[in-house]
């Protein structure tokens, strides 16, 4: 009996470096879509235009700077996931459904927590910087 020829690699974008290239293209499409369609994402990017240069002045060490930048990137990641959940929910159906509303509300709550993390990290950094300037 012959063994059936079954492709065990079920990857529509291929494997190896070709897959990395195609995944990068998909990521670029995702960034472009978020920028075009999501005003919250654009607002957070504008916040980054202010915060990231400020981070060089505010940070007391390289590790401190990394924490500032990572807290901002965390916000962008959560916002992208929130936008993806909203888009998928709207794709399934735009009529009101309690579970669709719950999914969107929970994703929005995640963005709120990411903003809180950003506020805490940047607030403490600002507080420490003020203490070093007056002390």
């Amino acid at each position: 009996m012959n063994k059936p020829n079954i492709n065990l690699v079920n990857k529509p974008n291929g494997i190896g470096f070709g897959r990395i290239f195609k995944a990068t293209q998909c990521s670029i499409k995702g960034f472009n879509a978020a920028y075009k369609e999501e005003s919250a994402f654009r607002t957070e990017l504008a916040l980054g235009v202010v915060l990231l240069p400020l981070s060089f002045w505010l940070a007391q060490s390289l590790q401190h700077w990394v924490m500032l930048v990572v807290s901002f990137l965390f916000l962008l990641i959560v916002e992208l996931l929130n936008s993806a959940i909203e888009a998928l929910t709207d794709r399934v159906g735009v009529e009101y459904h309690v579970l669709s509303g719950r999914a969107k509300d929970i994703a929005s709550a995640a963005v709120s927590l990411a903003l809180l993390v950003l506020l805490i990290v940047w607030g403490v950094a600002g507080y420490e910087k003020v203490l070093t300037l007056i002390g």
Side-chain angles (χ1 to χ4, degrees), residues 13-24:
N13 285 336
I15 58 174
F17 288 111
R19 180 171 174 76
I20 293 169
F21 179 72
K22 288 182 181 182
T24 301

Side-chain angles (χ1 to χ4, degrees), residues 28-87:
I28 291 169
K29 284 183 191 178
F31 283 121
N32 287 335
Y35 186 80
K36 280 166 94 173
E37 304 295 332
E38 301 295 333
S39 66
F41 186 73
R42 288 190 302 274
T43 302
E44 290 156 359
L45 284 178
L47 179 65
V49 168
V50 173
L51 290 181
L52 292 179
L54 180 63
S55 71
F56 292 106
W57 176 76
L58 208 54
Q60 311 254 341
S61 67
L62 179 60
Q63 292 84 0
H64 196 211
W65 179 80
V66 168
M67 286 180 58
L68 293 170
V69 172
V70 166
S71 68
F72 172 71
L73 292 175
F74 178 66
L75 172 64
L76 292 182
I77 291 165
V78 175
E79 183 61 52
L80 287 169
L81 292 171
N82 176 49
S83 297
I85 290 168
E86 287 181 353

Side-chain angles (χ1 to χ4, degrees), residues 87-98:
L88 184 58
T89 303
D90 290 345
R91 164 65 176 90
V92 170
V94 292
E95 69 281 348
Y96 177 78
H97 190 283
V98 67

